[in-house]
Amino acid sequence: QQFEALVRKDPRFELVCPTVLGLVCFRVKVVRDENAFNKRLLQRLNKDGDIHLVASEARGVYFLRVAVCSRFTESEDMEFAWRTIERTTSVMLAEEQRAE
């Protein structure tokens, strides 16, 4: 619920489906080619190695998934993951703006 709330607060993102059992499915929605951008975002996040996300695609919509499944997960872990996603997204959006 905490991670879902963080996604909902940022207008650049959208939830793709209801959160169930700690699985939050979301994507960046403010770019021209959303699927391509979200694929690059996933690659960069996983390459950096601070967090690990898994993606999925349904009905032509590519999205990222955060699974909160450890009983040892704390609020600080959710904040860290979100800050990492938010920061990386901001960097990538700025890079795209400069390229245009």
Side-chain angles (χ1 to χ4, degrees):
Q1 291 176 346
Q2 178 186 358
F3 193 85
E4 177 186 8
L6 292 168
V7 172
R8 285 184 185 278
K9 279 185 183 177
D10 192 322
R12 301 174 300 174
F13 292 86
E14 68 181 351
L15 294 168
V16 177
C17 60
T19 299
V20 177
L21 297 175
L23 179 63
V24 182
C25 300
F26 67 99
R27 69 188 195 136
V28 175
K29 65 177 184 175
V30 295
V31 292
R32 189 176 12 240
D33 187 347
E34 294 165 345
N35 285 348
F37 184 89
N38 282 286
K39 286 177 184 178
R40 290 192 310 275
L41 176 59
L42 175 76
Q43 290 169 349
R44 189 173 294 189
L45 287 166
N46 287 342
K47 181 181 176 196
D48 290 346
D50 291 330
I51 62 174
H52 180 78
L53 300 180
V54 177
S56 190
E57 188 169 349
R59 297 184 179 143
V61 176
Y62 185 91
F63 54 94
L64 309 180
R65 305 181 322 160
V66 168
V68 184
C69 51
S70 172
R71 63 186 174 110
F72 299 110
T73 301
E74 296 182 357
S75 179
E76 294 80 18
D77 300 319
M78 294 296 90
E79 292 286 342
F80 176 81
W82 180 248
R83 280 193 313 271
T84 302
I85 293 165
E86 191 177 39
R87 180 179 59 245
T88 303
T89 299
S90 294
V91 168
M92 289 178 62
L93 289 171
E95 289 170 357
E96 284 209 351
Q97 264 190 332
R98 284 193 298 271
E100 291 180 350

